[in-house]
Amino acid sequence: MGERPLSMPHSPHLSPRPSGKPAKYDPSFRGPIRNRSCTDIICCVLFFVFILGYIAVGLVAWVYGDPQQVLYPRNSSGAYCGIGENKDKPYLLYFNIFSCVLTTNIIAVAQNGLDCPTPQPVHQSLSQELCPSFLLPSSPALGRCFPWPNSTVPEVPEISNTSISQGISGLLDSLNARDISVKIFEDFAQSWYWILAALGVALVLSLLFVLLLRLVAGPLVFVLIIGVLGVLAYGIYHCWNEYRLLRDKGASISQLGFTTNLSAYSSVQETWLAALILLAVLEGILLLMLIFLRQRIRIAIALLEEASRAVGQMMSTLFYPLVTFVLLLVCIAYWAMTALYLATSGQPQYVLWAPNVSLAGCEKVMMNTSCDPMNQPVNSTCPGLMCVFQGYLSTGLVQRSLFNLQIYGVLGLFWTINWVLALGQCVLAGAFASFYWAFHKPRDIPTFPLSSAFIRTLRYHTGSLAFGALILTLVQIARAILEYIDHKLRGAQNPVARCIMCCFKCCLWCLEKFIKFLNRNAYIMIAIYGKNFCVSAKNAFMLLMRNIVRVVVLDKVTDLLLFFGKLLVVGGVGVLSFFFFTGRIQGLGKDFESPQLNYYWLPIMTSIMGAYVIASGFFSVFGMCVDTLFLCFLEDLERNDGSLDRPYYMSKALLKILGKKNEVPSGDKKRKK
């Protein structure tokens, strides 16, 4: 099943194909176009205006916000603990912790911090109820003093000791993680250099896997395919054995009937028969694909080998994800700080409060009226009357617009993150395209392909990247809104409404995946030809539709290979970390002994997650290289025919697989003879 050469449209009057016109030969084309102009200028201006507004929101938040309201506890007089005049007093003491136990609201804690209706400054006498009437052994948590769970609690009128103990235990369970945090910190202090060593192993394994693909891509792909066939064959065998045993016993689904216990269906023969048929169909499809698509699989393998060579020629591309990571960190940190400052932009409000307003002396006092915490009220007829913190004022232009500003910040977060990711894809595509379109490799490859692509992308195509990122952002925000609505209405939905909501969510998920796929290929075309986003997206989509079978085969082969690579790197680092941190590797010497840890799983999980991030970064570069070379390969087939004037730029391996060759000038033929 060899591939026939694609016919070239020598005349502009030829009728176009159903999926658009193939690319025409351009004698001036030699890879990524250098003489290009700015694209999608309107969207570029809109993006810069939006960024200026985003900066303005950050400045407003900086001026009106006060994150100390969240980071530090505050006493009844409004003074912060641990800073300023109270620098040597970092902990807040509640005079009557039971008021906090019985009135704490987790929502209020999230919004206003942990504030309890209990006096906190110690300046006056017990008779004025400004000193604690009892003390309990306590330990600090989140800057506040909480009693020990086994403390002997005093007798308080109208409150049982059981409810008090349960309240204290609940507070400690949710807030007092001091011991665990200290142990975690100790474990990291003992094992951080070994974690770095594990991440170094992950980096080396990822690098070796990518670079060695030029040698082992073919055998590895076929081994993986045979492995998948073997797994399916064993599944068929297992299903047949289970079906045969249950058939002999006479176990049928008619005897079981309908049940919500899904595990019960494993005891009936029809379940295993259905699984047997499904696995047999998958096995047959895979075998037919191997027979009829083996030529395209060979092309995919050759492209993977060529991608490995490209990465080897431009090693700096492997470390570009560090730039993307730093930019993403800046975007997330700016949004988090802006949101924090906006959330604390109100002024604190204090009101009168008493523990028992039903007393005769308290009925005359206007509760919940504003007061000054620096001048605590003294009222002998109303015991416990005090000025306590209620919340933050919502008056003022900034406070009234707080919700809109937060929405603006969320939009800025999504848009900037998607733009940074788009920048990375377009820069890498420009670098790898310069490799493919270099006729004599590596002589014709530009000196600094990555930096040239980075400058070229920022200078000419910021607007196009912003356009694609905005489309993706709108879809992602729509998905987020839909998830929020579904979460809020989950308890009140009927089955029909849940089904409709599920369909909407599925459609948006598919739309997001399609836009990501389209954007990725559009950025490749932008990097090569320098056209605007819409034209590039259309050309990329039409080019892929004219070669849909090749697209599917390459995509699946690449996914299979990169999945195996991630499994190899992450699994290898995970197994090595497990044996080392659990002390099962002996004989390494005193300097290489595993540290004594409280939680040995902590450095293991950290190493595994770090290895996954490193492998994902390396393989994302390799995946972008494969996609770029694939589009260039398709363009090469449509633009050129192997003649002296229109030679192919693809590798000799690809030419051999396709049965093509470039004509050699007569002078070169004589020299070869």
Side-chain angles (χ1 to χ4, degrees):
M1 299 296 294
E3 296 204 359
R4 294 176 297 177
L6 296 176
S7 59
M8 296 297 298
H10 296 286
S11 172
H13 301 291
L14 291 176
S15 58
R17 298 186 184 182
S19 296
K21 297 180 180 179
K24 296 181 180 179
Y25 174 68
D26 182 2
S28 64
F29 181 74
R30 292 293 183 272
I33 296 175
R34 297 183 180 181
N35 297 325
R36 55 181 72 195
S37 58
C38 296
T39 56
D40 295 301
I41 299 177
I42 296 177
C43 198
C44 181
V45 173
L46 178 63
F47 183 64
F48 278 115
V49 171
F50 180 87
I51 293 298
L52 291 176
Y54 198 20
I55 295 174
V57 171
L59 293 176
V60 170
W62 178 272
V63 171
Y64 290 96
D66 183 13
Q68 292 180 348
Q69 298 173 3
V70 176
L71 301 178
Y72 297 97
R74 179 187 291 219
N75 64 15
S76 297
S77 64
Y80 292 111
C81 301
I83 58 174
E85 298 179 354
N86 299 322
K87 188 176 182 179
D88 57 341
K89 302 175 182 178
Y91 304 123
L92 180 67
L93 174 65
Y94 296 105
F95 282 13
N96 186 358
I97 189 64
F98 307 126
S99 299
C100 181
V101 169
L102 299 176
T103 61
T104 298
N105 185 301
I106 197 65
I107 298 178
V109 170
Q111 293 177 344
N112 305 322
L114 186 60
D115 297 285
C116 305
T118 166
Q120 294 149 3
V122 185
H123 296 297
Q124 301 183 27
S125 64
L126 271 172
S127 59
Q128 294 178 324
E129 297 187 359
L130 293 179
C131 287
S133 57
F134 58 88
L135 293 173
L136 295 173
S138 305
S139 58
L142 301 179
R144 296 162 173 85
C145 297
F146 290 99
W148 295 349
N150 56 354
S151 301
T152 302
V153 297
E155 294 186 1
V156 182
E158 301 180 358
I159 305 176
S160 66
N161 286 1
T162 303
S163 62
I164 292 174
S165 300
Q166 291 175 349
I168 293 175
S169 299
L171 278 174
L172 292 173
D173 290 339
S174 59
L175 296 174
N176 193 5
R178 177 178 177 272
D179 292 338
I180 297 178
S181 62
V182 169
K183 290 180 180 179
I184 290 175
F185 179 78
E186 291 175 351
D187 285 350
F188 276 121
Q190 291 286 333
S191 61
W192 65 270
Y193 44 90
W194 294 115
I195 294 175
L196 290 181
L199 298 182
V201 172
L203 189 146
V204 172
L205 287 177
S206 301
L207 182 60
L208 288 177
F209 185 84
V210 170
L211 296 181
L212 292 178
L213 279 179
R214 70 182 73 179
L215 303 176
V216 300
L220 186 58
V221 168
F222 282 110
V223 167
L224 291 176
I225 292 176
I226 292 173
V228 173
L229 288 173
V231 171
L232 291 176
Y234 174 77
I236 293 172
Y237 170 76
H238 181 74
C239 292
W240 166 251
N241 277 340
E242 294 291 334
Y243 169 72
R244 183 171 52 84
L245 292 174
L246 294 173
R247 184 188 59 186
D248 296 339
K249 294 179 181 179
S252 175
I253 196 171
S254 59
Q255 300 173 355
L256 178 65
F258 177 77
T259 177
T260 57
N261 183 13
L262 299 181
S263 61
Y265 287 102
S266 62
S267 60
V268 296
Q269 57 179 328
E270 285 82 2
T271 301
W272 295 103
L273 179 61
L276 173 64
I277 295 173
L278 178 61
L279 292 178
V281 170
L282 290 176
E283 184 90 352
I285 292 175
L286 189 55
L287 286 173
L288 290 175
M289 289 177 61
L290 285 176
I291 295 173
F292 294 101
L293 299 178
R294 63 183 186 277
Q295 191 77 347
R296 288 178 171 83
I297 294 176
R298 293 179 62 197
I299 293 175
I301 293 172
L303 283 170
L304 291 172
E305 295 172 349
E306 191 71 4
S308 179
R309 293 189 184 91
V311 173
Q313 291 290 339
M314 295 180 286
M315 294 288 290
S316 58
T317 57
L318 287 173
F319 300 95
Y320 184 82
L322 293 176
V323 178
T324 301
F325 176 77
V326 171
L327 293 177
L328 290 177
L329 195 63
V330 170
C331 295
I332 295 173
Y334 180 81
W335 168 79
M337 294 301 297
T338 301
L340 177 62
Y341 273 83
L342 283 175
T344 58
S345 60
Q347 293 297 321
Q349 183 180 19
Y350 296 86
V351 295
L352 292 175
W353 178 88
N356 194 347
V357 295
S358 61
L359 295 178
C362 296
E363 294 178 351
K364 299 179 181 180
V365 180
M366 297 293 293
M367 297 297 174
N368 296 325
T369 57
S370 299
C371 58
D372 184 3
M374 303 303 294
N375 297 313
Q376 287 289 342
V378 178
N379 192 326
S380 59
T381 61
C382 183
L385 182 66
M386 64 193 76
C387 186
V388 298
F389 173 79
Q390 185 186 46
Y392 298 104
L393 291 174
S394 59
T395 58
L397 180 60
V398 175
Q399 286 71 33
R400 289 196 301 268
S401 305
L402 184 61
F403 178 77
N404 295 332
L405 294 177
Q406 292 283 22
I407 293 297
Y408 192 96
V410 172
L411 179 60
L413 173 68
F414 278 88
W415 199 358
T416 52
I417 285 180
N418 288 324
W419 185 86
V420 168
L421 295 176
L423 175 66
Q425 293 175 351
C426 196
V427 169
L428 291 174
F432 292 128
S434 65
F435 170 86
Y436 185 92
W437 296 109
F439 191 75
H440 298 286
K441 301 177 179 66
R443 187 181 67 190
D444 294 342
I445 300 175
T447 308
F448 301 104
L450 186 64
S451 58
S452 299
F454 183 82
I455 296 172
R456 186 168 59 240
T457 302
L458 281 181
R459 180 178 179 182
Y460 296 108
H461 306 303
T462 297
S464 297
L465 302 184
F467 191 9
L470 178 60
I471 296 173
L472 182 58
T473 295
L474 295 178
V475 175
Q476 290 174 337
I477 289 181
R479 281 195 66 196
I481 294 174
L482 205 61
E483 290 287 350
Y484 176 79
I485 295 174
D486 181 46
H487 177 73
K488 287 295 184 181
L489 302 179
R490 185 167 296 171
Q493 287 179 355
N494 56 40
V496 176
R498 284 199 299 269
C499 180
I500 295 175
M501 183 65 70
C502 183
C503 292
F504 276 121
K505 290 164 62 176
C506 181
C507 291
L508 284 179
W509 180 83
C510 295
L511 180 61
E512 181 182 356
K513 292 296 182 182
F514 174 75
I515 290 177
K516 285 183 177 179
F517 169 79
L518 189 63
N519 284 4
R520 183 182 180 93
N521 291 281
Y523 299 145
I524 295 174
M525 301 299 280
I526 289 172
I528 298 174
Y529 297 107
K531 298 185 180 298
N532 61 48
F533 177 81
C534 292
V535 172
S536 299
K538 174 190 173 184
N539 292 341
F541 183 76
M542 293 302 180
L543 179 62
L544 295 174
M545 288 300 102
R546 292 195 295 270
N547 300 271
I548 187 63
V549 178
R550 286 173 174 163
V551 172
V552 174
V553 172
L554 179 70
D555 183 62
K556 297 311 173 186
V557 171
T558 305
D559 288 346
L560 179 63
L561 199 61
L562 295 185
F563 172 76
F564 175 77
K566 288 183 181 180
L567 190 64
L568 177 66
V569 174
V570 177
V573 171
V575 170
L576 183 63
S577 300
F578 174 78
F579 279 94
F580 178 77
F581 287 113
T582 56
R584 302 189 183 189
I585 301 180
Q586 304 294 333
L588 296 179
K590 186 177 180 180
D591 295 335
F592 297 96
E593 291 182 354
S594 59
Q596 299 296 322
L597 302 173
N598 298 296
Y599 308 107
Y600 71 86
W601 52 265
L602 186 66
I604 295 175
M605 294 304 300
T606 304
S607 301
I608 290 175
M609 289 187 292
Y612 179 80
V613 171
I614 291 174
S616 298
F618 275 85
F619 295 157
S620 67
V621 173
F622 184 77
M624 196 67 202
C625 181
V626 173
D627 290 345
T628 303
L629 297 185
F630 180 58
L631 282 184
C632 293
F633 165 73
L634 298 179
E635 287 280 307
D636 193 9
L637 282 177
E638 293 189 351
R639 285 180 174 276
N640 304 310
D641 58 6
S643 62
L644 291 176
D645 295 331
R646 299 160 62 180
Y648 291 116
Y649 284 77
M650 67 186 72
S651 65
K652 293 180 180 179
L654 285 170
L655 286 174
K656 184 177 180 181
I657 293 172
L658 295 174
K660 299 177 182 295
K661 61 180 181 179
N662 283 327
E663 292 184 10
V664 181
S666 57
D668 292 346
K669 291 182 180 179
K670 292 179 180 180
R671 282 195 293 270
K672 287 183 179 181
K673 292 181 180 179

